[in-house]
Amino acid sequence: GAVVSQHPSRVICKSGTSVKIECRSLDFQATTMFWYRQFPKKSLMLMATSNEGSKATYEQGVEKDKFLINHASLTLSTLTVTSAHPEDSSFYICSAYRDSGYTFGSGTRLTVV
Amino acid sequence: DQQVKQNSPSLSVQEGRISILNCDYTNSMFDYFLWYKKYPAEGPTFLISISSIKDKNEDGRFTVFLNKSAKHLSLHIVPSQPGDSAVYFCAASEGSSNTGKLIFGQGTTLQVKP
């Protein structure tokens, strides 16, 4: 079946630094990748939609300059949290979409100290 | 504006009995619905889906019912097993928009007691 690899699974960084999270579809090409954020005991909040070769579409309220998304190929999308602050600490999950099917990564727990 | 709502944050069921998880939505343009199971610090795992042209879809112990007029769907798990204990999310998408965006509910934590 379709597999999406997301890493790192866990990262701790200092406030003010940037962190990059990778999402790879291992055995298929994803036309679209989505990035979600989950707060403790809350829903998965869609942050942005990423299509290969084009700029990401961000949801309302999500700062595009803070959460940089790059979709360089049909198998790789990256989310960079720039100048991270403690309030950016969260669980980030990517999802690859193809032919009406969604496959989720295992998520990244980001802690900003 | 929460377009997909799961109003029960938690549910506790005895092993062997039926678990019923509910989900309501407000956007009448949603035409594809999915249920996911999620453990802490992991990504969601797909369980079952239903298109708006159907009112029921069954896969093993899992059945999803869709009531379009009420904008309501439910997931039935029978018989429930302790391994089913997890957070369950319903999600919806608007197929006609062709964006593939999924909107999630808040989740319901299911506990199945042995």
Side-chain angles (χ1 to χ4, degrees), chain B residues 8 11 20 23 36 42 48 52 55 79 84-85 88 103 109:
Chain B
S8 297
L11 174 68
I20 300 176
C23 180
Y36 286 89
E42 293 184 11
I48 193 168
S52 60
D55 54 17
D84 296 329
S85 298
Y88 289 78
I103 306 299
T109 299

Side-chain angles (χ1 to χ4, degrees), chain B residues 2 10 30 33 54 56-59 65 91 99 102 109 114:
Chain B
Q2 189 77 26
S10 63
F30 286 147
F33 305 88
K54 294 186 174 182
K56 176 183 176 182
N57 188 24
E58 190 173 351
D59 184 2
F65 295 91
T99 63
L102 279 182
T109 299

Side-chain angles (χ1 to χ4, degrees), chain B residues 43-81:
Chain B
T45 303
F46 172 74
L47 282 175
I48 193 168
S49 63
I50 188 167
S51 164
S52 60
I53 61 173
K54 294 186 174 182
D55 54 17
K56 176 183 176 182
N57 188 24
E58 190 173 351
D59 184 2
R61 296 187 297 115
F62 302 93
T63 303
V64 56
F65 295 91
L66 175 62
N67 182 334
K68 284 182 293 184
S69 60
K71 294 191 179 68
H72 176 85
L73 63 155
S74 61
L75 174 68
H76 293 210
I77 306 173
V78 57
S80 301
Q81 300 172 353

Side-chain angles (χ1 to χ4, degrees), chain A residues 6-26:
Chain A
Q6 182 177 345
H7 72 93
S9 58
R10 186 183 294 265
V11 59
I12 301 172
C13 71
K14 290 186 177 180
S15 187
T17 62
S18 295
V19 173
K20 181 185 284 188
I21 302 170
E22 287 191 352
C23 180
R24 291 181 186 273
S25 56
L26 296 185

